Structures are given as C-alpha cells and as structure tokens.
Amino acid sequence: MTITYTGEVATCRGFGCFLKLLLRWRGSIYKLVWLDLLAFLTLYYLLNLVYRFALNEAQKETFEAIVAYCNSYRDLIPLSFVLGFYVSIVMTRWWNQYTSIPWPDPIAVFVSSNVHGQDERGRVMRRTIMRYVCLCLTMVLANVSPRVKKRFPGLNNLVEAGLLNENERTIIETMNKSFPRPSKHWLPIVWAASIITRARKEGRIRDDFAVKTIIDELNKFRGQCGLLISYDTISVPLVYTQVVTLAVYSYFLTCCMGQQWTDGKVVGGSSYLNKVDLYFPVFTTLQFFFYMGWLKVAESLINPFGEDDDDFEVNWMVDRNLQVSYLIVDEMHHDHPELLKDQYWDEVFPNELPYTIAAERFRENHPEPSTAKIDVPKNAAMPSGISSVRIDEMVGNNGNVASGSKQTATEQPSQGATNQSVTYDLSKAAPDEESKISTSKHRPMFWPIQLPSPRQTLAMTSKNYELLAKRRSWCASK
C-alpha cells in the first residue's frame, strides 16, 4: 500500500517540515537499507580489525598501499550519473504505469445513460456489462500483481467472488485448451460489446452514436489493460539494471578498503595527515545511505504491482471498481434528486461563497495581472503627432498611378504638433495614358483623379493630407 504523508506536510511551518517524517519505519529508507548497511559495516570492521591486530609492520605497509590505491581511484566510477539517470527512468515508468490503470467509471456512466429499461432484462444487461469490465481488469491484475494472483489464483476463485459465472468459466477453459498461450483478458470485453449490440437491436439504445460511444470506451479500456501487460512483459533493459547494480556495489566494496583508517593517511586531496583515529566511518555511512537508498528506490518502484510498501493498492481497486460500477448502472440508474431552484436563482450568480470562522483568515482577493499597478498619466495616453512621410510611401506608386507619371515630395519641417507642409512635384503623363488605363483588359476601369498641375506647390495641414491620401487610394481600387 502506498505510504501517504501529504497531510502532514500540507503546510510548512516551524523548523524542518520533513524532519517529522524521519522517524517513520514503514516505507522508510532505514527499512530498505539496513540489511545492506549491516553487511557493509561488518566487512569494514573485519578489515579494520585485521589491520590493527593481525598484521605485522611489512604487511601493514602493503595494506596501507592498497588503501591509498582504492581511495585514489574509487571516484573513477561514475556512480552519480549512472544511478541518477536510471532512477529518473524508473520514476517516470512508475507514474506512467499508474496512469495506465483503467477505471470503469466512464463506461458505467455511458451504460447507465444509454442502455435504457427499468425491467429485469435491462438491469441484467447493465450489470453484466460492468461485471465483464471489472472481470477484464481483475484478470489483468492477476497476471501482473502477486497480491491479486494470491487472491484469485484460478478461475474457480473468480466464480466464488461473483465476477464469473459457471457457463462463462466453461467458455474460458475451452479457449485456454485451444489457445493456451495468449491471455484471455480481452474476452469479457468482447462479450460486453456483444451485449451492447443486442441492446441496440432490442431498442434499449436509441441511436447508433450511443452504441459507438460505448464501444469506443470499451476499446479504450481494453487498450489500457493491454498496456499494463506490456509494462509487465517489457522491462527496463537488463543490461542497464546490471550496470547500475555493479556500479553501486563495486563502489562501496572499494570504499570498504579505501576508507579504512591507517597510520599517516592523508585527508582527501590535501597534504594534511589524519591523526584522529576514527572508529566509525561517519561520512562513508552517510554516503552509503544516499547512494544505496537511491538504488533501493529504483528496486522498489521498478515493479509497482508487487508487495512493497509503496506499491499500488490493487486489491482495493478490484473491490472498489465492482462496487462503484454496480452503484452507477443499477442503484443510480435514471435517478437524480428533485429539480429545485438554487439559492442564487434571483441573483443569477453569487459574488462570493461564504466562509466559516476557521477559513476567514484564508479569504483571498482576485488575482491581478502583472501590469495592474502600472499607471499611465492622461497626458502620456494621448496619441502622438503623425510623423511626416512622403506621400509616395503612404499611398504607393505601384499600380495606383499611371506608369508614365513620376511623383516627388519635398517635406518641410512641421510648425506645430499637428500641421505639416508637403510639396509635390508631379510630372506630365503620356497623352494617351488615360485611354490605355480605361481600355485595359488586365486592370479594372476607374475614373482618373484631377491631379495638381506640374511644379505646383501645395501647403497642406495634416488633415487635408490624410483626406487626399484616402481619396487616391479609394480611386485606385475602383
């Protein structure tokens, strides 16, 4: 059963929110690591006693050389990288397996809504469909979980539990004799789909769309059951698991020798001699807790359907699924409370739901956007003055004026915030230009504008400039 502690760490107050969890035994690192730690310390002290009491001076020198060698080269084992990447893969796989477990609730809702009939046959159809759905998941869990397998070791146990009838057991046994290898977890889903088809023929399902909806949900349920079996048969590659295991255990076998206390041992990479006789390897033990605990996490979560403390509650799922399924399709079929006006009927919607005295201090304001407190003054919110540009750039001269005409504009400095002066230099167009434009097959006909005479200088305000530009654009589009 998964160890739950979220209620104890819902609010972080005081000194160390997680420190209160360190004294737990069930599901703890101590429970996973204590046996390996005992073996490690036994080997460590055995070597330590041999060095202190069983060796002469020459043998001690050889022992010290081996200790120095192991201490120098133990960091060549890439333990953090290999172990961290492996645990990341296992954690992702663990959560994906949980999200792949199908729940019969959506199918039960669809069956209750679309398979009509208050008589006994309609009730039998609905209950049988959901029993087949729960039977399918139970058979899958019995294939992947030792807990469910010990609870339902054979078809007779499923019959005793009420998930399977005698005639159905006979059919499955016949199928197993003919095709012994493939799993028959999909067979109850086929039976459920056949009942849906029969209900449609009998008029208990009103349209084909409802039939398709239920069949799609049954297929989705069957697909997720098959995914659970795939997770069970396709494991993390064995070679990766072996690499991680060898890395961890070889690292700490090296630590058993490399972390021994010896006369004249240098501390770390410095030249300082360790003159303190350490009878207990404090930091080596902490290192063992961290790395070995990391490996034990992977060992515990690589198969979440087993019998570890943090494995899924599969037996509870079996009971819960059947209870909820029958409750939806039978007890609550076409049943709902009396329709009454809610208390906010006249107000349309409430401004705020009430708070209790205990929740009053948790009253929250509406969240504000990030620019809510930026205040723009009114004078800064006014539109800025129109920049002076050439009329050719404003209107454009491709396809809007005659091909033989040339336009130039000489800008004058603006005298105020809104006025500007523009000088136009308009060249003469070809005499027959108007007739060419009017009779062209590739261009729409339009009435030409009466343009100012060449070399004529016109002082205009910004408003007149804008009106002229709009007029030319409108005429060019006709």
Side-chain angles (χ1 to χ4, degrees), residues 138-212:
T138 305
M139 294 174 68
V140 170
L141 293 178
N143 289 334
V144 301
S145 174
R147 295 183 179 182
V148 182
K149 183 66 175 180
K150 293 176 181 178
R151 186 180 181 183
F152 304 106
L155 297 178
N156 293 330
N157 301 98
L158 293 174
V159 173
E160 294 175 0
L163 290 172
L164 196 65
N165 292 335
E166 287 292 340
N167 58 334
E168 298 162 352
R169 180 178 64 85
T170 304
I171 296 175
I172 295 178
E173 288 178 347
T174 303
M175 293 286 292
N176 286 332
K177 291 180 181 179
S178 302
F179 308 97
R181 289 186 177 275
S183 173
K184 306 303 184 297
H185 68 276
W186 43 266
L187 193 56
I189 299 297
V190 177
W191 294 341
S194 300
I195 295 177
I196 294 297
T197 305
R198 180 175 298 179
R200 174 62 178 139
K201 291 181 179 179
E202 295 180 3
R204 297 182 181 276
I205 302 178
R206 295 177 180 175
D207 51 37
D208 294 333
F209 181 77
V211 174
K212 181 183 181 301

Side-chain angles (χ1 to χ4, degrees), residues 24-93:
R24 287 193 172 193
W25 173 258
R26 191 162 181 260
S28 65
I29 184 177
Y30 322 114
K31 186 176 180 180
L32 294 175
V33 174
W34 75 270
L35 194 59
D36 298 88
L37 180 60
L38 181 62
F40 172 78
L41 292 177
T42 301
L43 181 60
Y44 177 87
Y45 280 112
L46 180 62
L47 295 174
N48 190 272
L49 293 175
V50 169
Y51 170 75
R52 291 174 185 270
F53 304 107
L55 302 180
N56 54 32
E57 293 299 328
Q59 292 172 340
K60 283 187 177 182
E61 291 181 1
T62 305
F63 187 91
E64 292 169 359
I66 297 175
V67 168
Y69 178 80
C70 293
N71 190 41
S72 299
Y73 290 100
R74 64 185 174 89
D75 291 334
L76 294 180
I77 301 175
L79 185 59
S80 299
F81 172 75
V82 174
L83 190 56
F85 191 64
Y86 182 77
V87 173
S88 177
I89 292 177
V90 171
M91 287 292 295
T92 304
R93 177 186 172 90

Side-chain angles (χ1 to χ4, degrees), residues 29 33 37 40-41 252 280-293:
I29 184 177
V33 174
L37 180 60
F40 172 78
L41 292 177
F252 285 107
F280 184 79
V282 179
F283 291 100
T284 306
T285 303
L286 291 177
Q287 195 176 32
F288 186 90
F289 260 103
F290 301 148
Y291 285 123
M292 188 60 70

Side-chain angles (χ1 to χ4, degrees), residues 78-90 235-248 295 298 302:
L79 185 59
S80 299
F81 172 75
V82 174
L83 190 56
F85 191 64
Y86 182 77
V87 173
S88 177
I89 292 177
V90 171
S235 304
V236 177
L238 179 62
V239 60
Y240 198 7
T241 305
Q242 290 176 340
V243 167
V244 173
T245 306
L246 286 175
V248 174
L295 179 64
I302 195 169

Side-chain angles (χ1 to χ4, degrees), residues 181 183 213 272 317 356 361 455 462 473 477:
R181 289 186 177 275
S183 173
T213 302
Y272 176 73
M317 292 180 185
T356 61
R361 62 191 183 95
R455 309 292 183 183
S462 60
S473 300
S477 63

Side-chain angles (χ1 to χ4, degrees), residues 36 105 135 166 175 236 277 284 323 380 389 405 443 450:
D36 298 88
D105 304 34
L135 174 63
E166 287 292 340
M175 293 286 292
V236 177
D277 190 352
T284 306
Q323 294 170 2
V389 296
S405 63
R443 298 190 180 189
Q450 186 64 34

